[in-house]
Amino acid sequence: MSTVFSGIQPTGGLHLGNLLGAVRNWVDNQGDTVGFFCIVDLHALTVPKEPGEVGKGSIELARELLACGLDPTESTLFIQSHVPEHAQMGWLLQCNTGFGELNRMTQFKDKSAKQKDFVSSGLFSYPSLQAADILLYDTNQVPVGADQRQHIELTRDIAVRFNSRYGETFVVPEAVSPAAGARVMDLQNPTDKMSKSAATESGTIYLAEDLSKTAKKIKRAVTDSEVEVRYDPEAKPGVANLLGILGAATDRDPAALADEYSQYGPLKSDTADAVVTLLEPIQERLSELQQDPDSVTAALITGARKASTTAQATYQRAVQNIGLTPPG
Ligand code: TRP
């Protein structure tokens, strides 16, 4: 079975784009792959955070992932800082990453430009920590969007370099495009991906939001000044997004759905109904988990234990191959 690793930042709640584009595939693939799902709290620290913020966000994210159906007995769901080998391996890999390589990372350029007061060196060396996340688990595949491809390429380069300097240590992973999930766009700016950092809240549907708000957001989604319902993401991005969401939520083909509508109103109300139907059971499960915080803690302890077994073995292999002197 192939090993798949996904890292998710604990910053802000999950939204519909995360669910339809990624999390739903993870849940469906459980059992067919060995899945590691890591809440990357150490990565979240690369930009300034208030005390307590990252810890709270990590628990919220764990709860949401469990509510979406990640099964802690089938998959390994854990928090990055609970497995100290991430930080330790991160250092070993920083020492095998070129300054020039990091300097070419476009995400660093984008993110550092947005930080006005303080750009941490952690933000710069972040891809080495990401490489550690992936390489610790002998990962074969990393499902990522276009924005993360460059980091996976760098991970491969680091793995190959380390193996040639110190001997066979790491499996060289590959980036895979997430399975044909929906690419959900912002409801107000349908040419941008749905995102938690969007300019306005009304374009993003959060999994945990009040469902009456959800229906309103969909009914107010930007369309266009025509009246024709047609699946054409280039010419009619707003309408195509609604059809894509309705299709993903009801397991139907968006282009075929278009034939069933001649007006935007009914398309919007059916899409709203479908999304509400999709989110209702997730929200029920979320509120059960909120009332039972111990079960979330227990799942994370189990996850950290499972992750540690593999992470410790890989870290020891790296240290031995480098030839650091063992204690005792
Ligand atoms: N860098 C990723 C992001 O910004 C998060 C991440 C951290 C990650 N470690 C990872 C993704 C390992 C895939 C594999 O979204």
Side-chain angles (χ1 to χ4, degrees), residues 124-257:
F124 185 69
S125 57
Y126 168 123
S128 299
L129 181 61
Q130 180 165 355
D133 299 341
I134 296 166
L135 298 179
L136 276 174
Y137 299 96
D138 296 333
T139 300
N140 304 110
Q141 297 187 323
V142 192
V144 283
D147 64 319
Q148 291 297 316
R149 288 246 157 195
Q150 203 184 21
H151 291 165
I152 311 306
E153 277 310 310
L154 179 61
T155 300
R156 290 166 58 86
D157 292 343
I158 295 170
V160 169
R161 177 178 304 132
F162 194 104
N163 286 347
S164 82
R165 282 185 178 166
Y166 300 112
E168 207 53 34
T169 309
F170 297 126
V171 172
V172 181
E174 60 176 5
V176 292
S177 302
R183 186 170 146 84
V184 179
M185 310 305 279
D186 187 290
L187 295 170
Q188 291 300 316
N189 298 299
T191 50
D192 292 346
K193 253 172 76 169
M194 185 175 282
S195 136
K196 49 197 164 197
S197 47
T200 112
E201 278 249 310
S202 48
T204 307
I205 292 171
Y206 289 95
L207 299 196
E209 75 185 22
D210 186 338
L211 290 174
S212 64
K213 236 169 142 183
T214 307
K216 270 192 210 131
K217 286 180 185 175
I218 293 176
K219 287 179 185 160
R220 290 181 191 151
V222 165
T223 50
D224 51 50
S225 55
E226 297 180 359
V227 286
E228 188 195 3
V229 179
R230 180 158 59 79
Y231 186 69
D232 185 344
E234 286 286 311
K236 297 169 74 70
V239 173
N241 191 33
L242 290 169
L243 288 164
I245 293 171
L246 178 59
T250 57
D251 259 327
R252 302 229 7 230
D253 174 51
L257 277 171

